[in-house]
Amino acid sequence: MNQQQLFEQIQKKRSFLCVGLDTDIQKIPQHLKDTSDPIFSFNKEIIDSTAEFSVAYKPNLAFYESLGSKGMESLEKTVMYVKSKYPEIFVIADAKRGDIGNTSNLYARAFFDHQDFDAVTVAPYMGEDSVKPFMTYLDKWVILLALTSNKGAYDFQFIEDKESGDKLFETVLKTSQNWGTTENLMYVVGATKAEKLKEIREIVPDHFLLVPGVGAQGGSLQEVAKNGMNSKCGLLVNSSRGIIYASSEADFAEKAGAAAEEVQKEMEVLLQEAGLI
Amino acid sequence: MNQQQLFEQIQKKRSFLCVGLDTDIQKIPQHLKDTSDPIFSFNKEIIDSTAEFSVAYKPNLAFYESLGSKGMESLEKTVMYVKSKYPEIFVIADAKRGDIGNTSNLYARAFFDHQDFDAVTVAPYMGEDSVKPFMTYLDKWVILLALTSNKGAYDFQFIEDKESGDKLFETVLKTSQNWGTTENLMYVVGATKAEKLKEIREIVPDHFLLVPGVGAQGGSLQEVAKNGMNSKCGLLVNSSRGIIYASSEADFAEKAGAAAEEVQKEMEVLLQEAGLI
């Protein structure tokens, strides 16, 4: 999917919601646990009830890997399900990968050839040759970690460069722009650091940003939109727990849909205020 | 496995060799491709022929993930095989993971509960809460990326901190020492930067270092040992391609064994010179 197609989806659905499929076997409703693949059963119902209000899904790989090869099967089925039933939806592998060149190549193959993800999150520590292999696929995306939503972000991401004065996350934003374009590179910026979005927009005015941390982690959607929106929206705001665990009972899918719709309605207002729809 | 047990293995085998099980389906001998699980068949023979000369195995997850859930099955079987037949060998998941706290927890569960790895490589960008969940398992290890062997290492790892003057990899070494101990924390330091090992040893005199990049990537074993060895050896030096692809014919396992033995003999001399055996 290219940038324009993504923006058109945002306009059509009046939403820039990404639903985080962080499906925890311990948190899914009891009645699904007896099915042959409880994780996939859960995801399928969540997807059907939220697809109308969402432009992206983002399974975090850790939730699937923690269940071994069975979990990876559930993930593969989930991606195939979205891609066959809702091909217009952008699917992100939240994997935070990154390795030496020839190895990153294999990860790219895993996510883009073996599976049909549209994007994968990548950690920047190992530099250019660890990131670029993910950018060689047409209409596929790298989403590079810049400023993350967790407490540990303060350990290294704010270190100031002796020469330029830039903080590490700013250096990551500036340096990595030479590796890709607004058509294959997005950035992760945590909603818990929404006040930084203004400065970040000065460095990367046109790139899409994936913003986790709204909801359970405490970030504000209004502030994210105010500081981070650009002329093509430029935002995918992720919510996981607030939507997929809106209820732990038999009505979980219905409640997830209602929670997603509530966020979508908020987003619709923000898109209207920005004159984008 | 604790540090003393690892050192005892090194003394007993007169080797600090880690064999990288970077098994590429495209590179394994033709006659194995007809078996039901070619990757596992290859690994099993490599393990049997090199176990005598090695103290560690390090499968890089990318090679397995690129084959989907089938690849993950091959990986699970490989780890089980080592642990049942050669329980004294240290097994490293070269995964370069790292995510917000509750998610890193799940990765730790994947590698340490669901599978029986002794260690996992972790990327430092997201800071303390992304690393610590891997340290809560007794006798299990985090191997944190400090200075990597690839060209991209120069993009961010050498950025100097305005306040302390430390390079980013030095800050990672210093800061992370507060997160763990010499009993649950090692560091990745690329052999291609062996001249840096002396400075690194001043910061982390007692931690084990995992050193990739000897052989195909051009690092020198002599120099790594000279600059990096401590009183408990403190080194696991990895070789992948030079050993597992020593031959692409039917004699691949035999040739891999011979290549591993050759490295072991060199290591034996280095351990003797250091007075450790």
Side-chain angles (χ1 to χ4, degrees), chain A residues 37-190:
Chain A
D37 187 341
I39 297 286
F40 176 63
S41 303
F42 179 85
N43 286 352
K44 191 168 164 295
E45 292 200 44
I46 290 284
I47 290 162
D48 285 336
S49 65
T50 58
E52 190 184 340
F53 313 110
S54 317
V55 293
Y57 287 109
K58 179 177 76 62
N60 186 307
L61 275 277
F63 288 81
Y64 302 86
E65 287 187 20
S66 67
L67 302 172
S69 53
K70 281 241 168 286
M72 295 311 286
E73 266 175 51
S74 308
L75 176 66
E76 288 170 13
K77 282 156 73 180
T78 300
V79 177
M80 275 195 285
Y81 185 73
V82 177
K83 283 296 169 186
S84 63
K85 197 155 173 200
Y86 308 100
E88 79 283 4
I89 293 189
F90 193 77
V91 187
I92 301 163
D94 194 0
K96 303 188 175 73
R97 295 300 193 265
D99 207 310
I100 61 171
N102 71 334
T103 308
S104 272
N105 239 321
L106 287 169
Y107 278 126
R109 203 193 286 173
F111 295 116
F112 297 151
D113 275 344
H114 188 88
Q115 296 194 70
D116 196 16
F117 282 104
D118 294 291
V120 56
T121 59
V122 176
Y125 193 73
M126 293 182 71
E128 180 173 4
D129 64 273
S130 71
V131 178
K132 284 192 87 165
F134 294 98
M135 293 173 163
T136 58
Y137 291 72
L138 183 69
D139 291 344
K140 301 285 186 180
W141 298 74
V142 163
I143 310 182
L144 196 65
L145 301 186
L147 186 54
T148 58
S149 61
N150 63 323
K151 190 163 160 277
Y154 293 102
D155 287 320
F156 307 121
Q157 296 167 27
F158 285 83
I159 288 174
E160 288 181 51
D161 187 328
K162 204 164 138 184
E163 280 174 37
S164 65
D166 287 335
K167 297 182 181 75
L168 179 58
F169 75 88
E170 294 170 330
T171 308
V172 167
L173 291 167
K174 289 180 184 178
T175 303
S176 62
Q177 280 185 79
N178 302 316
W179 307 342
T181 70
T182 55
E183 284 293 346
N184 61 11
L185 179 59
M186 304 186 182
Y187 295 100
V188 171
V189 179

Side-chain angles (χ1 to χ4, degrees), chain B residues 84-104:
Chain B
S84 61
K85 198 155 171 200
Y86 308 101
E88 79 283 4
I89 292 189
F90 193 77
V91 187
I92 302 163
D94 194 1
K96 303 188 175 72
R97 296 298 193 265
D99 208 310
I100 63 171
N102 71 334
T103 308
S104 272

Side-chain angles (χ1 to χ4, degrees), chain A residues 147 154 158 167 169-170 173 189-203 223 227:
Chain A
L147 186 54
Y154 293 102
F158 285 83
K167 297 182 181 75
F169 75 88
E170 294 170 330
L173 291 167
V189 179
T192 50
K193 318 231 162 28
E195 78 283 1
K196 296 277 169 214
L197 271 167
K198 254 196 186 138
E199 301 163 39
I200 287 171
R201 271 297 177 217
E202 284 173 25
I203 306 173
E223 214 185 327
N227 296 332

